[in-house]
């Protein structure tokens, strides 16, 4: 098992001031700025400044780039100790061995047969080509540049400088070394360590506060360990003696946590500490439970413990960690829950209770349910579903109740009688606009937090006729459960059309048909007032094709179909479907 979580320690005391200006066009976005990255390379023996410092703002000639690249590859001593022939006549004496070594190792070809272009400024593309040849078997280098940021074009426009060369060189350290078939997937930094260019300890010290650091869980069960890494190199590790997984609350700051213990074993929540690297146990739970990260609010961390009793719905309790003190809160949730940002904290919503998680602890709030809509005026709409009822509620931005409607669920049919299935298919709502809410709990209108129930009939799509203020909905009889699967996801739908008049009375537009005769999808009104709707028919793989139909005078005419219908069911699919509807007594071909 391998699970990688990037943890950039930006909150640690940086050697270089946070937010210092980047030098050059290339910005790695690392904790250390360009000056810090240059110093890191210098500490590793991969970069050297001038008599005026690193001079990162200065352009770099191709001769200077040859020296930097040779030094970056840890080959300066070798290059200066040898005689390296090359065909170029424009190379100054001080750069001759650098260019010769690059040429003999296939890392440079020059700009012409006898011209290296030593006095010309190196471009971004040329320097990237050098780096690509140094770490791969090809000249292709776009993988080294960040897609969508036009880094090469911007460098060409502003001028490639030594700071850009530093940033790209440091970026390369983290990339996989692919030269000569690197089957072990080592990073460039690890290859340089293997070649004794620098040591792991030197990398750890030089890269501290400069490069992002990562955690990696590796191994299985008793052989598991947590590795502390940078640039693809493990600089610290700790054995866990059991299955382990990372549990991090913020990718950009410590502390980081780990859960030790496998399936059917007790679990221990540990905090990872450094210098030396170790796991500090802070809480334990039984074999039927596990820890998961919930959120961090200021300096307070929240975890939840998911308990899975046999043949019972999952239960969730919340753990609070502040200043190394661990406290089990009074929060207990069953079924669905939701976490969302809120003023001064995070709002944790259960089906019947809610809590505000703050830096100073958790406090209960009246707001509850699943937030499925937030209006531009700050009104929040929630839906709370239990096996007995569905509650639709509206709230002010500060969590004060405005309005609510409750729909009983005990008169609906479910696919199986088990409680978990009843919860999974309990009435619920959706919305695609700022006016209506609809679903198996009915059709509702919301305005300024006030709810109006148009119908409590299951509603899976609707259309509004402003001429008479009526609605046509896709629905089904309450004694039925109508659903279909598409791409392995089960979705509820209806099998008939119903008109809802302004006074609440209903008019059935299609007769009651045998179950599974129709699967309805969408409904709308044509300009002439006729009802247009789509029906579903299975196609491959695991998809539903759609027929377009028009209802006129109580009879249905099939007018169109999606391409996959014709592909699956043949060119005469529309005629075959029309014949089927005629046989059911609802087709336009029936007198």
């Amino acid at each position: 098992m391998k699970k990688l979580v990037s943890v950039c320690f930006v909150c640690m005391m940086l050697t270089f001031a946070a937010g210092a200006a980047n030098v050059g066009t290339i910005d790695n976005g690392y904790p250390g700025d360009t000056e810090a990255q240059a110093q890191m390379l210098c500490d590793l023996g991969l970069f050297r400044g001038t008599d005026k410092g690193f001079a990162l703002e200065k352009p770099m000639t191709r001769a200077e780039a040859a020296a930097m690249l040779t030094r970056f590859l840890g080959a300066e001593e070798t290059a200066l100790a040898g005689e390296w022939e090359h065909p170029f006549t424009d190379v100054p004496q001080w750069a001759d061995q650098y260019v010769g070594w690059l040429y003999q190792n296939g890392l440079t070809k020059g700009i012409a047969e006898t011209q290296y272009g030593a006095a010309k400024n190196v471009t971004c593309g040329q320097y990237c080509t050098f780096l690509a040849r140094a770490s791969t078997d090809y000249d292709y280098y776009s993988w080294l540049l960040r897609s969508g940021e036009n880094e090469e074009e911007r460098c060409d426009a502003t001028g490639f400088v030594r700071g850009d060369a530093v940033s790209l060189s440091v970026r390369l350290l983290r990339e996989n070394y692919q030269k000569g078939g690197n089957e072990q997937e080592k990073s460039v930094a690890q290859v340089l360590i293997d070649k004794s260019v620098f040591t792991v300890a030197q990398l750890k010290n030089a890269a501290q506060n400069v490069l992002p650091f990562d955690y990696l869980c590796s191994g299985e069960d008793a052989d598991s360990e947590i590795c502390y890494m940078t640039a693809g190199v493990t600089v610290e590790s700790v054995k866990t003696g059991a299955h382990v997984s990372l549990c991090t609350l913020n990718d950009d700051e410590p502390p980081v946590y780990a859960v030790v213990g496998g399936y059917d074993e007790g679990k221990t929540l540990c905090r990872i500490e450094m210098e030396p690297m170790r796991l500090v146990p802070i809480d334990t739970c039984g074999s039927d439970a596990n820890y998961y990260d919930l959120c961090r609010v200021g300096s307070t961390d929240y975890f939840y413990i998911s308990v899975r009793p046999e043949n019972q719905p999952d239960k969730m309790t919340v753990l609070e960690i502040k200043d190394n003190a661990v406290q089990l809160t009074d929060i207990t949730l069953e079924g669905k829950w939701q976490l969302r940002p809120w003023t001064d904290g995070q709002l944790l919503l259960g089906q019947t209770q809610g809590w505000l998680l703050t830096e100073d602890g958790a406090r209960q709030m009246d707001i509850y349910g699943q937030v499925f809509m937030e209006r531009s005026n700050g009104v929040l709409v929630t839906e709370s579903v239990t096996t007995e009822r569905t509650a639709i509620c509206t709230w002010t931005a500060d969590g004060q109740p405005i309005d609510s409607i409750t729909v009983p669920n005990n008169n609906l049919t479910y696919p199986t009688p088990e409680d978990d299935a009843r919860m999974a298919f309990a009435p619920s709502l959706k919305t695609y606009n700022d006016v209506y809410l609809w679903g198996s709990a009915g059709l509702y209108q919301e305005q300024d937090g006030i709810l109006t129930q148009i119908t409590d009939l299951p509603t899976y799509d609707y259309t509004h006729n402003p001429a008479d203020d009526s609605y046509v909905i896709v629905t089904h009889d309450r004694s039925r459960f109508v659903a279909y699967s598409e791409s392995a996801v089960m979705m509820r739908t209806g099998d008939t059309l119903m008109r809802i008049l302004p006074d609440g009375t209903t008019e059935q537009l299609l007769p009651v048909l045998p179950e599974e005769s129709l699967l309805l999808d969408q409904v709308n009104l044509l300009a002439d007032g006729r009802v247009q709707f789509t029906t579903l028919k299975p196609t491959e793989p695991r998809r539903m094709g759609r027929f377009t139909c028009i209802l006129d005078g109580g009879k249905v005419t099939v007018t169109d179909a999606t391409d996959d219908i014709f592909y699956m069911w043949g060119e005469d699919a529309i005629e075959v479907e029309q014949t089927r509807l005629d046989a059911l007594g609802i087709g336009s071909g029936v007198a």
Side-chain angles (χ1 to χ4, degrees):
M1 180 197 75
K2 290 187 176 181
K3 182 180 179 184
L4 185 62
V5 179
S6 177
V7 184
C8 304
F9 286 152
V10 298
C11 70
M12 301 172 70
M13 186 179 296
L14 298 181
T15 303
F16 298 88
N22 186 67
V23 181
T25 301
I26 306 297
D27 185 359
N28 289 331
Y30 295 162
D33 61 13
T34 315
E35 186 80 21
Q37 293 171 46
Q39 185 61 55
M40 181 195 76
L41 293 181
C42 182
D43 292 343
L44 295 176
L46 306 180
F47 182 61
R48 190 180 301 163
T50 69
D51 57 356
K52 296 182 180 180
F54 292 136
L56 299 178
E57 75 286 355
K58 300 296 184 181
M60 175 183 286
T61 66
R62 284 174 54 86
E64 292 169 335
M68 179 174 175
L69 181 62
T70 305
R71 192 173 297 119
F72 177 77
L73 297 176
E76 183 175 33
E77 185 176 339
T78 301
L80 295 179
E83 296 293 333
W84 310 95
E85 294 184 358
H86 60 76
F88 310 125
T89 60
D90 62 338
V91 178
Q93 184 176 359
W94 70 265
D96 189 74
Q97 288 161 293
Y98 295 117
V99 174
W101 184 85
L102 292 176
Y103 180 80
Q104 291 295 332
N105 284 275
L107 301 180
T108 186
K109 300 175 182 177
I111 62 173
E113 185 174 347
T114 60
Q115 294 292 305
Y116 176 69
K120 294 181 178 295
N121 288 339
V122 68
T123 67
C124 179
Q126 290 170 347
Y127 194 78
C128 287
T129 301
F130 287 150
L131 296 181
R133 290 173 182 167
S135 58
T136 73
D137 292 323
Y138 44 83
D139 292 353
Y140 174 72
Y141 60 80
S142 64
W143 51 271
L144 189 58
L145 298 170
R146 290 180 175 170
S147 60
E149 295 188 13
N150 300 318
E151 290 181 315
E152 183 174 359
E153 292 84 349
R154 290 190 292 117
C155 273
D156 288 340
T158 60
F160 188 79
V161 296
R162 289 167 58 87
D164 293 316
V166 165
S167 295
L168 288 170
S169 299
V170 172
R171 187 180 293 181
L172 183 72
L173 289 175
R174 305 179 73 197
E175 297 290 336
N176 280 352
Y177 185 80
Q178 302 173 53
K179 202 169 185 65
N182 176 34
E183 298 180 359
Q184 296 180 352
E185 296 186 352
K186 292 182 178 180
S187 68
V188 171
Q190 183 63 63
V191 170
L192 293 176
I193 290 172
D194 293 345
K195 293 180 177 180
S196 300
V197 176
F198 52 83
T199 66
V200 171
Q202 288 173 326
L203 175 63
K204 178 186 175 184
N205 293 333
Q208 192 75 20
N209 308 324
V210 179
L211 296 189
F213 278 77
D214 309 317
Y215 283 102
L216 175 71
C217 290
S218 64
E220 293 289 342
D221 301 327
D223 293 328
S224 295
E225 66 177 349
I226 297 178
C227 301
Y228 183 61
M229 308 179 68
T230 190
V233 177
T234 298
V235 296
E236 291 276 0
S237 66
V238 60
K239 293 283 187 181
T240 63
H243 180 91
V244 63
S245 59
L246 289 169
C247 209
T248 180
L249 291 157
N250 272 12
D251 282 354
D252 59 356
E253 61 182 39
V256 178
Y257 300 84
V259 178
V260 180
Y263 184 74
D264 281 342
E265 297 177 349
K267 316 293 190 305
T268 301
L269 179 64
C270 302
R271 184 176 57 253
I272 303 175
E273 293 188 350
M274 302 300 297
E275 305 300 342
M277 185 175 178
R278 58 181 180 147
L279 299 180
V280 178
I282 57 177
D283 197 65
T284 59
C285 65
S287 59
D288 61 345
N290 204 353
Y291 295 95
Y292 299 94
D293 51 291
L294 187 59
C295 65
R296 173 170 291 165
V297 183
S299 60
T300 302
D301 293 336
Y302 290 93
F303 288 83
Y304 71 93
I305 306 171
S306 179
V307 183
R308 300 177 179 175
E310 188 174 355
N311 300 322
Q312 304 258 342
D314 288 3
K315 292 185 177 180
M316 164 185 160
T317 56
V318 176
L319 200 67
E320 176 187 318
I321 305 174
K322 182 177 177 62
D323 298 329
N324 296 332
V326 182
Q327 176 182 329
L328 188 65
T329 68
D330 61 354
I331 301 173
T332 301
L333 297 176
E334 291 186 15
K336 292 183 178 179
W337 57 271
Q338 186 179 30
L339 185 74
R340 62 177 290 112
W342 202 254
T343 304
D344 300 325
Q346 295 281 329
L347 189 60
L348 176 62
L349 303 177
Q351 291 301 316
T352 58
Q353 290 179 298
W355 287 266
L356 180 62
L357 308 181
T358 72
E359 185 172 14
D360 298 322
R363 68 173 184 265
Q364 191 166 341
M365 295 185 68
D366 290 334
I367 191 170
Y368 60 86
Q370 298 282 298
V371 175
F372 69 96
M373 184 164 49
E374 185 171 2
R375 301 303 197 195
S376 57
N377 61 0
V379 172
L380 216 61
V381 184
T382 67
E383 173 190 59
S384 171
V385 180
T386 68
T387 56
E388 293 79 24
R389 56 95 182 119
T390 295
I392 305 103
C393 304
T394 55
W395 315 82
T396 62
D398 59 357
Q400 299 302 311
I402 303 174
D403 197 6
S404 66
I405 294 178
T406 299
V407 182
N409 294 344
N410 54 11
N411 59 348
L412 289 171
T413 297
Y414 298 85
T416 58
E418 288 81 4
D419 283 345
D420 57 347
R422 288 175 63 85
M423 283 298 297
F425 296 103
S428 58
L429 298 177
K430 61 183 177 180
T431 181
Y432 296 132
N433 55 39
D434 286 337
V435 180
Y436 295 99
L437 332 169
W438 67 96
S440 48
L443 176 63
Y444 302 85
Q445 188 175 20
E446 182 274 334
Q447 188 170 10
D448 295 328
I450 305 303
L451 295 166
T452 301
Q453 185 183 72
I454 297 166
T455 181
D456 65 352
L457 290 173
T459 303
Y460 302 101
D461 196 33
Y462 76 95
T463 185
H464 179 229
N465 187 351
D468 61 2
D469 200 26
S470 66
Y471 297 83
V472 176
I473 65 172
V474 174
T475 187
H476 60 73
D477 188 271
R478 291 184 183 277
S479 64
R480 295 185 179 183
F481 179 87
V482 184
Y484 66 97
S485 294
E486 187 164 15
S487 299
V489 177
M490 179 170 282
M491 290 168 276
R492 297 187 65 173
T493 189
D495 59 3
T496 191
L497 296 175
M498 191 81 70
R499 177 176 279 117
I500 312 296
L501 299 175
D503 62 1
T505 59
T506 60
E507 176 188 349
Q508 191 156 323
L509 302 182
L510 291 176
V512 176
L513 299 172
E515 288 197 31
E516 300 184 4
S517 295
L518 285 178
L519 284 177
L520 302 185
D521 186 28
Q522 296 180 335
V523 61
N524 61 76
L525 287 178
L526 298 177
D528 58 11
R530 292 181 299 167
V531 175
Q532 183 184 68
F533 62 95
T534 56
T535 63
L536 300 164
K537 189 176 182 66
T539 57
E540 294 294 337
R542 295 178 298 177
R543 292 184 59 190
M544 285 282 175
R546 284 154 176 80
F547 287 106
T548 300
C549 305
I550 293 178
L551 179 64
D552 188 8
K555 299 299 181 180
V556 178
T557 301
V558 185
T559 62
D560 200 1
T562 54
D563 291 342
D564 53 340
I565 287 284
F566 294 113
Y567 179 80
M568 185 71 185
W569 298 101
E571 291 298 324
D572 59 347
I574 291 179
E575 290 78 6
V576 172
E577 179 67 5
Q578 184 67 62
T579 301
R580 187 182 76 88
L581 298 183
D582 292 347
L584 289 172
I586 62 172
S588 57
V590 179

